[in-house]
Amino acid sequence: MKRRFWSVCLALALCWTLLPAPALAADVAPNELWVGGTNVVQGGYWTTNADGSLTASDNSHYNVYYDGNGNLWLDNANIVGQGVGTLDNHGFTGIYAYYTEQTETDIALTIHLTGDNSVSNGYPIYVAPWGGSASLTITGPGSLTATGTVGGNGGIFVRGDTSSLTIENGADVTVNSARSSAVTIVAHNEGTGTLTVDNATLRAYGYVIDDPDDPYGICFSYRGSSSNIVDGSRALRVSGNSIIHTNYMQATYSELYISAATESGGIVFDGSEGTVYGDVALQEDLTIGADETLTIPATASLTIPSGVTLTNNGTVTNGGTLTNSGTIDNYGNVTGNGITGTPINHKVTDVSLDKTSLALDVGGTAQLTATVQPEEATNKNVTWTSGAPTVATVDNTGKVTAHSAGTAAITVTTADGAHTAQCTVTVTAPVTPEEPVTPPSDDSEPTYSPSLDVGDGGTVQVNPRTPEAGEEVTLTVTPDEGYAVEEVSVTDRDGDEVEVTDNGDGTYTFEQPRGRVTIEVTFRETVPAMPFADVPEDHWARDAIAWAYENGYVSGTSAAAFSPGASISRQQVWMILARLSGGAPADMAAARAWAVESGISDGTAPGGAVTRQQLAALLFRFAQSQGMDVSVGEDTNILSYPDAFDAAEYAVPALQWACGAGVLYGTSDGRLDPQGTATRAQFAVMLERFWR
């Protein structure tokens, strides 16, 4: 969440310089506190090393500070459990707080966050006394990512007779587990287990090895000799407009009670089912996925303030009150009670044409009609373009006019979302008579009108149009821009070739035989002169670079250099893909917005270099967004590459598709090289294979 109150950050920074106030101390501090393999229970300052361990420091430079009294500060710290043998099976825990005495001792730990922090390995955070109660508080305004590895048993683990976890004050906490629940709260005997999220964000994603189809993001567990647990002993409390997102919540031996504070509540997504608790005002933009549902019960209300956007790709069910003073971009369904305030912006999801192909004679016209979906879309404005204006043009109403023989793609593009549809227009020249246009007479020679067969890419003029036998006929061949003459041939009525002379000035001549002839002219696309001195004739990617440059997809790093071996950035790929979709982003920021809205990228690290697997993923998502068939790679086996296991899990489907579709091939040494940086030359080649 974007609840970053910088005044609070400055106040905290000042406190750290002067030492934290005693008022922050917990009632009962742990007598063992291990952080990154170091026992910090005596208090002090430390910096984090590259391997996640700690090195003692002072208050002038540190990532970790402990006051010796239950308060631990993290400031852009990266902590990794180091395998301390004295901690039994918890030796790889990142932060381990406990009480070694075998007594009923309550312990409490508060973790203060500034900046972006991470804790990983085994249990990332484990708080448990020998006996008694356990309390863990994580307070903002910073963020924390806790990642449990396969060797551990979860993410954040709090265990005691009474156990509580509180996330508050703008903290943004993400917890991932490789083998168990992400957040586990264990209460002994008849004790209570409570999770409180107040003015904060919690994302908890678990993975249970023995039940992978039913993972536990948040788990309230019971341990003890009795199962007679009082009602309400397992409770989730949400307030301060907080948001919780977990793949599954469960509670053993008793029901899980979810409640909201009276003055404000929050939103809880349990898997794909989201529910509003209490009165919630969104503090930042919220997107509801295509498979997600957000329900506003009769007792709850949801307010979208000015400047905040709710994007709905799934279903919003309003049984209470929905007030919109900001923006609701709706691609899905909104049902139930009406909406107070600003109306819903029904976003365009698709556009279609009443015809996908047209056949016209030169000079003919036809009307195309576009249908924008959904019917209730707010902005139904469209633009019309022709891919070959010399062949056919289209006006702003969709009226098509044919000008010359050939084919032209007429494209309609929605103003909202840049969705497109196309119609292929085929234009033919008027049919010439089969017989001589001038009948023979006693005192004149017959004349013969030729049959013209002219391919796409230019025009042909014949002079004279109806020659006599033995007369010299001149053909004036005019290629369109970007085309050149490939072949000119003339055959007589028996199919025999007639000799044609190339005059070298765009004209061709032949002697008219007796009877009608057939004139065939074909054209080829020309490749512009390569302006880049660093892409020689024998460069392996020259043809692809020339194609991409000719079509305006790429440009040089200077007027005379392409830099084929340099890396390509994420924002450059966004811009090119946006153009391929039919859009015309004004700048890199607009291209980034398009990529995020289209689901192609999360928009992070715009200037970062793209790896081969990231480039495959971007092209794969673009193909999906354009409705292309990406099933070709589903059965592709990339394990033939020796480094296939170097690929990230998210990139495997994209790499399978790219290899199966012939977009991506292995390197010259037979590797897939998924982690390798994609060069500008590699991108041009992959783009040509993908788009052509």
Side-chain angles (χ1 to χ4, degrees), residues 610-622 650-651 653-659 663-664 678 686:
V610 178
T611 64
R612 286 164 59 85
Q613 67 180 6
Q614 288 172 336
L615 185 54
L618 290 168
L619 291 172
F620 180 67
R621 295 166 189 159
F622 175 76
Y650 80 88
L655 290 170
Q656 288 179 308
W657 163 80
C659 292
V663 175
L664 177 67
M686 290 180 65

Side-chain angles (χ1 to χ4, degrees), residues 204-569:
Y205 308 109
Y207 180 79
V208 181
I209 291 179
D210 58 359
D211 194 8
D213 295 327
D214 200 16
Y216 309 142
I218 299 175
C219 177
F220 293 84
S221 184
Y222 164 78
R223 294 183 181 181
S225 59
S226 172
S227 62
N228 184 25
I229 301 179
V230 298
D231 288 343
S233 61
R234 306 291 178 264
L236 171 63
R237 298 186 175 92
V238 57
S239 59
N241 303 308
S242 297
I243 295 180
I244 300 174
H245 211 307
T246 180
N247 50 357
Y248 181 67
M249 289 192 295
Q250 70 141 8
T252 61
Y253 292 99
S254 68
E255 293 186 18
L256 173 61
Y257 288 82
I258 305 178
S259 62
T262 55
E263 68 277 8
S264 65
I267 299 174
V268 179
F269 280 92
D270 188 0
S272 62
E273 301 294 327
T275 303
V276 177
Y277 293 91
D279 299 323
V280 178
L282 286 183
Q283 303 300 295
E284 62 173 23
D285 295 346
L286 175 65
T287 297
I288 301 169
D291 61 343
E292 293 183 332
T293 297
L294 179 63
T295 300
I296 308 171
T299 57
S301 69
L302 177 62
T303 299
I304 297 96
S306 177
V308 177
T309 299
L310 172 66
T311 301
N312 176 40
N313 297 307
T315 300
V316 175
T317 301
N318 179 25
T321 302
L322 177 56
T323 303
N324 178 32
S325 298
T327 302
I328 299 179
D329 286 338
N330 183 48
Y331 297 91
N333 299 306
V334 178
T335 63
N337 299 341
I339 299 174
T340 303
T342 306
I344 291 178
N345 180 24
H346 292 280
K347 301 294 288 184
V348 173
T349 60
D350 196 13
V351 64
S352 61
L353 290 172
D354 60 333
K355 304 177 184 68
T356 58
S357 63
L358 279 175
L360 296 174
D361 291 332
V362 173
T365 63
Q367 183 65 47
L368 294 177
T369 301
T371 301
V372 177
Q373 295 293 340
E375 185 177 352
E376 64 272 19
T378 303
N379 183 0
K380 291 189 175 183
N381 292 331
V382 298
T383 57
W384 299 86
T385 56
S386 170
T390 59
V391 176
T393 55
V394 60
D395 66 13
N396 59 7
T397 69
K399 181 181 178 180
V400 180
T401 302
H403 299 287
S404 64
T407 60
I410 304 299
T411 303
V412 62
T413 305
T414 63
D416 179 7
H419 301 278
T420 61
Q422 282 191 344
C423 174
T424 301
V425 180
T426 302
V427 181
T428 56
V431 178
T432 56
E434 291 292 333
E435 298 298 324
V437 296
T438 303
S441 64
D442 294 340
D443 56 356
S444 64
E445 291 290 327
T447 58
Y448 306 94
S449 177
S451 176
L452 283 175
D453 185 1
V454 181
D456 296 339
T459 58
V460 177
Q461 293 181 341
V462 182
N463 185 38
R465 188 69 179 85
T466 54
E468 298 177 357
E471 190 172 1
E472 184 179 82
V473 180
T474 301
L475 306 178
T476 303
V477 183
T478 307
D480 294 337
E481 184 177 356
Y483 289 85
V485 178
E486 183 174 61
E487 185 179 12
V488 177
S489 67
V490 180
T491 54
D492 62 19
R493 61 186 177 183
D494 298 323
D496 296 327
E497 188 172 345
V498 177
E499 183 178 356
V500 178
T501 301
D502 182 358
N503 301 315
D505 58 356
T507 64
Y508 300 78
T509 55
F510 67 92
E511 182 180 328
Q512 175 70 37
R514 179 170 292 279
R516 188 175 182 178
V517 299
T518 299
I519 301 171
E520 295 182 75
V521 181
T522 58
F523 300 89
R524 57 177 176 80
E525 292 187 62
T526 58
V527 178
M530 178 67 70
F532 308 125
D534 56 354
V535 187
E537 290 286 344
D538 59 350
H539 193 281
W540 66 273
R542 179 182 174 87
D543 290 345
I545 293 171
W547 170 83
Y549 173 72
E550 176 190 4
N551 287 277
Y553 301 140
V554 300
S555 58
T557 55
S558 70
F562 183 76
S563 303
S567 62
I568 187 163
S569 69

Side-chain angles (χ1 to χ4, degrees), residues 48-54 63 76-80 116-120:
T48 55
N49 303 315
D51 64 351
S53 61
L54 303 187
N63 302 112
N76 290 302
N78 175 33
I79 298 168
V80 179
D116 298 322
N117 304 274
S118 64
V119 185
S120 62

Side-chain angles (χ1 to χ4, degrees), residues 171-185:
D172 190 334
V173 179
T174 300
V175 190
N176 298 287
S177 172
R179 63 166 296 179
S180 185
S181 53
V183 174
T184 304
I185 301 176

Side-chain angles (χ1 to χ4, degrees), residues 175-199:
V175 190
N176 298 287
S177 172
R179 63 166 296 179
S180 185
S181 53
V183 174
T184 304
I185 301 176
V186 180
H188 294 165
N189 300 318
E190 295 185 0
T192 61
T194 305
L195 170 60
T196 300
V197 182
D198 180 31
N199 184 33

Side-chain angles (χ1 to χ4, degrees), residues 32 34 37 83-93 96 98:
E32 292 281 350
W34 293 83
V84 181
T86 59
L87 300 184
D88 194 30
N89 65 319
H90 307 306
F92 288 92
T93 298
Y96 188 18
Y98 68 113

